[in-house]
Amino acid sequence: MARDPFRQRRRGRLARVLGVLTAMVVLAVAAVAVFGPRLVADRLNPVTAEAEWPVSAKAQALHDRLVIGDLHADALLWGRDLSVRRTEGHVDLPRLDQGNVAIQVFTAVTRSPRGQNYAENDTEAPDNITPLVIGQLRPVQTWFSLKERALDQAARLRHLVEAEPDRLRLIRSRDDLDAVLANRAANRRVIGAILGIEGAHPLEGDLGNLAVLEGAGYRLIGLTHFFDNELGGSLHGQSQAGLTDFGRAVVTEAAQRGMVIDLAHASPRMVRDVLALPGTRPIISHTGVHGVCNTLRNLPDEMLRAVASSGGIIGIGFWPDVTCNDSPAGIAASIAAAIALVGEDHVALGSDWDGSVGVPFDAAGLPALTQALMDEGLSEAQIAKVMGGNMVRYLREVLPRA
């Protein structure tokens, strides 16, 4: 049978069209993966100041002598290369080094409800993180499992540690912490990274998964985030409930394992329930002082006093929803108020960098806070405690030995 040249040409044109369409789809997916998360991160995590804050030579010299630690940053969520300096977001290794940060908690966010707000969120609301995970082309299992998302973010940090051993170390124990601090004292500017999780829903209701997350490197566990979960009530959930039986089991075992319990998004009832359990020394990693900034994001002041009385620490956030003042001076005023409320040995930094918030400076701009604390009238000893001393002391007391 003779071949139809017209049919062959039509088939050829169709093949070329399909090839072009396939290429366009691949390019579109690649563009979303490369640029989409970056654009989202840039929009949701701005530095709000239009210019650098002035820092005196005296403040810079003090800042350079400090051991600085921060209890909360969500940089792992955005899928960017943290080994190089970026223009978007707040945190990467060069900016942490420029800000003289010694210890940084990297917190995994695995789910947040659509329409997220500080007042009330439905546990069943559609999830904001799933489209981000898919857009970043993360492994398929992370599209459907919160546990896998947490493990993927932990693996991302471990890979960075392996690729940058002279710049970043993973802290799992007191010995690891002491090794990082010894390196820095010897003028080797390694940064210590601690893995935390924002909301314990990646446990997926299974206590056995606590050991899985611990094995992946997690040492700080926030019990809730913006919605109620299997452990109990969120500060921003519908129930305002306390700990469930599962929540009590998780807190008890986590404390026995030397994991840090974080109550940053816990309901007041949950805070009281955790404090009633023996052997717990919880923290509030990123918050403000309600008496200074009367917003729904800040727990009542008596909750902060109760956590401090148990031996915990309070991390003061950097964004205006917790400080009611978008400047280094506003953060310093909240820190001073926290010291007056709970004592200078229980106040720390809890920036919430890269946490879908605007802040007045990124990690590189941290000397501006030292300047503001000096301007607020804090002594050098108080500044040293707040900027990292209290965090280091607490971790040495709570983390497992090795």
Side-chain angles (χ1 to χ4, degrees):
M1 181 180 295
R3 294 180 178 177
D4 182 347
F6 296 104
R7 181 178 295 177
Q8 287 180 325
R9 285 197 291 272
R10 285 196 298 271
R11 287 176 177 172
R13 284 196 297 270
L14 180 60
R16 287 194 294 274
V17 170
L18 288 174
V20 171
L21 289 174
T22 300
M24 289 174 65
V25 169
V26 170
L27 287 172
V29 170
V32 169
V34 173
F35 298 110
R38 179 178 294 186
L39 292 172
V40 172
D42 198 32
R43 179 172 61 84
L44 294 180
N45 297 297
V47 174
T48 54
E50 296 181 358
E52 291 187 9
W53 301 95
V55 177
S56 68
K58 182 178 180 180
Q60 186 67 58
L62 172 59
H63 189 86
D64 292 342
R65 296 195 300 270
L66 298 173
V67 175
I68 299 172
D70 178 67
L71 288 166
H72 196 91
D74 294 330
L76 296 176
L77 176 62
W78 305 104
R80 62 182 187 261
D81 181 0
L82 298 179
S83 69
V84 297
R85 192 181 188 99
R86 306 295 289 258
T87 57
E88 75 275 15
H90 306 137
V91 167
D92 49 51
L93 295 188
R95 283 185 282 180
L96 287 169
D97 182 63
Q98 185 177 340
N100 195 31
V101 175
I103 311 294
Q104 180 65 58
V105 175
F106 290 90
T107 314
V109 178
T110 58
R111 184 177 174 212
S112 71
R114 193 168 301 168
Q116 177 177 299
N117 63 88
Y118 293 137
E120 181 180 308
N121 298 278
D122 184 352
T123 303
E124 303 303 321
D127 174 37
N128 286 326
I129 305 301
T130 298
L132 186 64
V133 169
I134 294 172
Q136 291 174 358
L137 302 183
R138 303 310 305 165
V140 172
Q141 62 266 28
T142 67
W143 300 7
F144 309 104
S145 166
L146 302 186
K147 181 184 78 171
E148 293 298 334
R149 286 181 197 176
L151 294 176
D152 180 58
Q153 291 186 48
R156 222 179 292 176
L157 184 64
R158 292 198 308 273
H159 293 159
L160 183 61
V161 168
E162 292 165 3
E164 304 286 346
D166 294 330
R167 301 167 70 195
L168 189 68
R169 305 278 177 82
L170 186 62
I171 293 175
R172 299 172 181 259
S173 66
R174 281 178 268 176
D175 289 347
D176 292 338
L177 173 63
D178 287 342
V180 166
L181 296 175
N183 271 270
R184 292 185 67 88
N187 235 4
R188 294 189 291 272
R189 291 178 65 89
V190 64
I191 298 165
I194 298 175
L195 268 168
I197 198 156
E198 187 144 43
H201 27 277
L203 294 175
E204 297 181 340
D206 182 351
L207 186 59
N209 281 332
L210 186 62
V212 175
L213 294 181
E214 181 191 37
Y218 285 100
R219 291 298 180 269
L220 181 149
I221 181 165
L223 302 185
T224 56
H225 196 201
F226 271 87
F227 54 92
D228 302 334
N229 62 19
E230 299 95 336
L231 286 81
S234 165
L235 179 61
H236 326 290
Q238 294 179 320
S239 73
Q240 295 299 307
L243 282 173
T244 63
D245 289 342
F246 178 67
R248 288 185 178 86
V250 170
V251 170
T252 299
E253 183 164 335
Q256 290 171 350
R257 290 175 177 272
M259 300 177 80
V260 177
I261 307 298
D262 182 11
L263 299 175
H265 290 277
S267 71
R269 281 188 62 189
M270 178 179 272
V271 173
R272 287 191 288 269
D273 286 351
V274 169
L275 291 172
L277 294 174
T280 60
R281 290 182 58 186
I283 70 169
I284 302 176
S285 65
H286 56 305
T287 188
V289 179
H290 197 272
V292 171
C293 184
N294 184 0
T295 68
L296 294 172
R297 176 58 181 80
N298 290 335
L299 281 161
D301 287 354
E302 60 265 26
M303 299 286 97
L304 275 59
R305 280 195 294 263
V307 168
S309 295
S310 76
I313 52 177
I314 311 298
I316 299 300
F318 292 0
W319 74 108
D321 290 339
V322 297
T323 63
C324 292
N325 184 323
D326 192 19
S327 71
I331 301 167
S334 288
I335 287 172
I339 289 173
L341 182 70
V342 304
E344 64 185 45
D345 294 327
H346 299 282
V347 183
L349 304 183
S351 65
D352 203 16
W353 279 322
D354 285 319
S356 298
V357 296
V359 293
F361 51 82
D362 61 10
L366 197 52
L369 181 56
T370 298
Q371 178 70 66
L373 292 171
M374 292 175 65
D375 295 343
E376 184 68 28
L378 271 66
S379 68
E380 291 193 6
Q382 289 175 317
I383 293 171
K385 287 181 179 182
V386 168
M387 293 292 282
N390 290 335
M391 178 181 173
V392 168
R393 186 200 70 245
Y394 173 87
L395 292 172
R396 278 182 170 144
E397 294 168 353
V398 173
L399 288 176
R401 168 57 64 188

